[in-house]
């Protein structure tokens, strides 16, 4: 994600109001120190009484245990594939959907949960048999006719419809399924994806996707991955997009509107599909989009082979969205902030965040620190300020600047995971590593990190252990001062 300025706190109205500032005991576990559990009064939707045994199975947890979003995601299963079939009417804002979710049970299940905000559930089945469905806030609990055994692959189908409710931030910024003048754009970080399809909406559970969208034929539907088919029937057009590589739900997207579609292929052979909002009046000379092949080639040189089978950007006039988002294979950038720096930042996220995905939202600095440092590397490699100059300029800021509000690996609450220390001080951690190991070793280290966890997950502990193993000694002086230390480091 990249904002037009500092991303302010975004305690989500209603949904996140009950979340306290997270803190925990000393010791670095997971993506940092152990986080707090669910807050008092948190919803823990379960079918029937807690602990009820149903033909050998038990209800799975209604959350993935994230330190900042304890209700987000679900326990008991791992999704392997989503097949989403959507129909959208821009004039009314009504969305009709069928979500076919293929998953593997990680425990014996009598019931399990999906995250779905708003929308009416019309029907639900598990392995072709009708399942009982219960709603409790953002939790949709399905109780299949027969329990699901641990290790078994099962398929859930949920039909739903309604007008998606955007998730509103404290300062009026929104995420989720957002209506535009002639369509919609879906922004999912960190919780918005559950506003338009049911699923296991935590970054720790990635899956492949097929997203099929039917819209009026005068507009287009763009999504992640590669376009497999486009067909028309009467006054409607249907687009089928396929995302083969694993994807976290928060970087899934659909963009519906009137677009100028640009296609090409990178020097390494990756097909590029970019969608430019025809109503935006931006980059009409192609000065920014025209540099995409150059930026792509540069990024591969810096970070290693591009991790996906498609690339591109979506530029739209999404209302009330002052930030770009690294939607997988095709970052979404609002028209008024479509410039080269943001393209560099969001493209870097394809390696850092999308391919190497954080285990929890506490590990967010691994996304934003690397993407911000990519901006510094770009200017350094293209005649602008060096990364050292960027570092020094930021380090010169006063001790009471918001850059030093908290350590990047320990945001104090959910509302801080996209604040300045995560971005800028995160980038400064990366630069300290580079200064310690030298330029050539740093390039090798970064490319190795992206390859080691390609299409997987990583925590802060994973990263620090990896770096120390490559360096051959501990780097506590960096971790203690820059990654975990309070206040401005000396």
């Amino acid at each position: 994600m990249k904002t037009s300025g500092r991303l302010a706190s975004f305690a989500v109205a209603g949904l996140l109001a009950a979340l306290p500032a997270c803190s925990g005991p000393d010791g670095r576990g997971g993506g940092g120190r152990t986080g707090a559990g669910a807050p008092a009064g948190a919803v823990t939707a379960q079918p029937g009484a807690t602990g009820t045994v149903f033909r050998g199975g038990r209800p799975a947890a209604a959350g993935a245990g994230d330190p900042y979003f304890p209700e987000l995601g679900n326990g008991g299963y791992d999704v392997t594939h989503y097949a989403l079939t959507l129909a959208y009417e821009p004039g009314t804002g009504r969305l009709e959907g069928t979500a076919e979710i293929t998953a593997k049970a990680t425990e014996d299940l009598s019931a399990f949960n999906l995250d779905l905000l708003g929308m009416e559930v019309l029907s639900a089945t598990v392995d072709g048999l009708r399942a009982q469905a219960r709603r409790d806030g953002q939790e949709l609990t399905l109780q299949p006719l027969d329990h699901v055994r641990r290790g078994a692959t099962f398929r859930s189908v949920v039909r739903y419809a309604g007008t998606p409710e955007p998730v509103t931030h404290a300062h009026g910024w929104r995420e989720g399924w957002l209506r535009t003048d002639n369509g919609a754009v879906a922004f999912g970080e960190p919780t918005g994806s559950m506003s338009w399809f049911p699923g296991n909406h935590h970054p720790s559970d990635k899956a492949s996707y097929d997203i099929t969208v039917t819209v009026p034929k005068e507009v287009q539907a763009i999504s992640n991955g590669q376009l497999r088919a486009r067909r028309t029937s009467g006054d409607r057009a249907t687009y089928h997009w396929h995302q083969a590589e694993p994807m976290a739900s928060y970087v899934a997207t659909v963009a519906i509107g009137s677009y100028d579609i640009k296609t090409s292929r990178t020097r390494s052979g990756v097909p590029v599909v970019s969608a430019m909002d025809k109503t935006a009046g931006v980059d009409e000379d192609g000065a920014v989009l025209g540099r995409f092949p150059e930026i792509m080639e540069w990024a591969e040189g810096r970070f290693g082979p591009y991790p996906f089978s498609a690339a591109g950007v979506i530029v739209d006039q999404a209302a009330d969205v002052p930030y770009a988002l690294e939607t997988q294979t095709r970052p979404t950038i609002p028209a008024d902030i479509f410039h080269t720096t943001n393209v560099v930042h969001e493209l870097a996220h394809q390696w850092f965040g999308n391919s190497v995905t954080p285990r929890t939202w506490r590990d967010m600095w691994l996304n934003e620190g690397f993407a911000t440092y990519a901006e510094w590397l770009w200017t350094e490699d293209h005649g602008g300020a060096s990364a050292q100059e960027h570092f020094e300029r930021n380090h010169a800021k006063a001790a009471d600047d918001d850059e030093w509000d908290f350590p990047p690996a320990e945001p104090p609450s959910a509302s801080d995971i996209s604040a300045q220390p995560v971005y800028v001080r995160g980038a400064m951690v990366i630069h300290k590593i580079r200064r310690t190991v030298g330029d050539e070793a740093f390039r090798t280290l970064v490319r190795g990190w992206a390859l080691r966890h390609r299409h997987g997950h990583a925590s802060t502990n994973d990263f620090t252990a990896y770096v120390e193993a490559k360096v051959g000694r501990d780097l506590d002086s960096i971790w203690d001062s820059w990654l975990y230390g309070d206040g401005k480091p000396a």
Side-chain angles (χ1 to χ4, degrees):
M1 180 187 293
K2 188 64 164 47
T3 69
S4 55
R6 178 182 178 180
L7 182 61
S9 298
F10 55 84
V12 177
L15 184 66
L16 301 181
L19 289 177
C22 286
S23 60
D26 291 340
R28 301 172 188 173
R33 305 184 200 275
T34 303
V43 173
T44 55
Q46 300 281 358
T50 300
T52 299
V53 175
F54 178 69
R55 299 189 63 180
R58 298 177 66 87
D66 191 270
Y68 299 127
F69 303 96
E71 298 172 50
L72 200 63
N74 301 282
Y77 64 94
D78 290 322
V79 179
T80 57
H81 186 71
Y82 289 93
L84 306 178
T85 303
L86 310 173
Y88 184 64
E89 180 50 59
T92 64
R94 181 174 174 81
L95 177 68
E96 297 179 358
T98 298
E100 181 179 317
I101 303 167
T102 304
K104 184 175 182 179
T106 57
E107 56 189 81
D108 290 337
L109 298 175
S110 66
F112 58 92
N113 283 30
L114 299 168
D115 301 311
L116 181 63
L117 183 66
M119 309 295 284
E120 177 187 2
V121 175
L122 305 176
S123 66
T125 63
V126 176
D127 287 337
L129 301 176
R130 186 174 181 84
Q132 294 184 35
R134 175 187 167 195
R135 301 297 299 276
D136 194 347
Q138 71 188 55
E139 300 293 337
L140 167 62
T141 303
L142 300 186
Q143 182 172 312
L145 183 62
D146 294 314
H147 80 283
V148 180
R149 292 196 177 278
R150 179 180 180 181
T153 296
F154 63 99
R155 186 186 65 161
S156 302
V157 178
V158 178
R159 292 180 55 246
Y160 59 101
T163 303
E165 301 175 10
V167 177
T168 303
H169 303 171
H171 291 265
W173 298 354
R174 303 180 304 155
E175 61 170 299
W177 185 276
L178 308 179
R179 292 182 68 179
T180 60
D181 290 342
N182 61 353
V185 181
F187 285 77
E189 183 182 307
T191 64
S193 52
M194 66 180 172
S195 73
W196 61 280
F197 70 97
N200 197 15
H201 291 297
H202 189 267
S204 61
D205 194 0
K206 297 163 68 171
S208 59
Y209 281 71
D210 281 281
I211 301 178
T212 302
V213 189
T214 299
V215 293
K217 67 179 182 181
E218 61 266 21
V219 296
Q220 299 134 300
I222 314 298
S223 189
N224 311 89
Q226 295 179 305
L227 182 64
R228 285 290 179 85
R230 180 190 181 276
R231 62 183 183 274
T232 59
S233 178
D235 62 352
R236 309 287 283 180
T238 299
Y239 297 80
H240 173 197
W241 294 87
H242 177 67
Q243 171 59 59
E245 299 88 1
M247 177 168 71
S249 64
Y250 78 91
V251 286
T253 193
V254 170
I256 297 168
S258 180
Y259 299 106
D260 184 9
I261 306 298
K262 306 287 188 181
T263 62
S264 62
R265 193 171 290 271
T266 68
R267 184 172 295 182
S268 59
V270 177
V272 179
V273 177
S274 295
M276 305 290 290
D277 189 340
K278 290 181 179 179
T279 69
V282 64
D283 197 41
E284 294 178 342
D285 61 356
V288 178
L289 188 60
R291 299 196 75 177
F292 189 88
E294 176 192 358
I295 297 170
M296 185 81 162
E297 186 174 352
W298 171 84
E300 288 186 295
R302 276 290 186 177
F303 311 135
Y306 181 69
F308 302 113
S309 54
V313 296
I314 299 169
V315 179
D316 204 302
Q317 300 247 53
D320 301 325
V321 179
Y323 60 88
L325 186 62
E326 59 269 22
T327 42
Q328 190 156 305
T329 70
R330 201 156 284 116
T332 305
I333 305 177
D336 60 351
I337 58 171
F338 182 59
H339 49 71
T340 301
T341 300
N342 275 349
V343 174
V344 170
H345 184 102
E346 304 308 333
L347 187 59
H349 273 309
Q350 304 308 306
W351 284 263
F352 309 109
N354 294 6
S355 178
V356 184
T357 302
R359 290 192 184 277
T360 75
W361 286 110
R362 176 169 282 155
D363 302 306
M364 185 71 158
W365 82 274
L366 286 171
N367 294 18
E368 302 301 349
F370 267 111
T372 301
Y373 198 67
E375 297 178 41
W376 298 3
L377 290 173
W378 171 264
T379 60
E380 177 177 287
D381 291 347
H382 291 83
S386 68
Q388 179 64 25
E389 288 171 326
H390 282 288
F391 179 92
E392 292 172 353
R393 188 178 304 150
N394 282 284
H395 194 225
K397 294 178 181 177
D400 60 353
D401 189 89
D402 56 15
E403 192 169 290
W404 317 113
D405 281 353
F406 58 84
E410 292 185 331
S413 72
S415 63
D416 296 305
I417 63 170
S418 291
Q420 278 290 88
V422 173
Y423 285 69
V424 178
R425 190 166 165 184
M428 297 175 84
V429 172
I430 304 301
H431 187 68
K432 292 293 290 186
I433 296 169
R434 177 185 173 188
R435 290 294 303 274
T436 299
V437 304
D439 286 356
E440 288 305 312
F442 175 76
R443 185 187 295 267
T444 300
L445 184 148
V446 169
R447 291 168 64 95
W449 171 252
L451 285 172
R452 172 170 293 196
H453 295 281
R454 186 180 176 94
H455 302 315
H457 299 88
S459 68
T460 299
N461 273 2
D462 293 328
F463 179 73
T464 57
Y466 166 82
V467 173
E468 291 187 341
K470 292 297 182 183
V471 174
R473 64 182 187 277
D474 73 67
L475 296 179
D476 287 348
S477 60
I478 296 177
W479 315 142
D480 291 345
S481 295
W482 291 91
L483 191 56
Y484 289 101
D486 292 321
K488 178 180 177 179

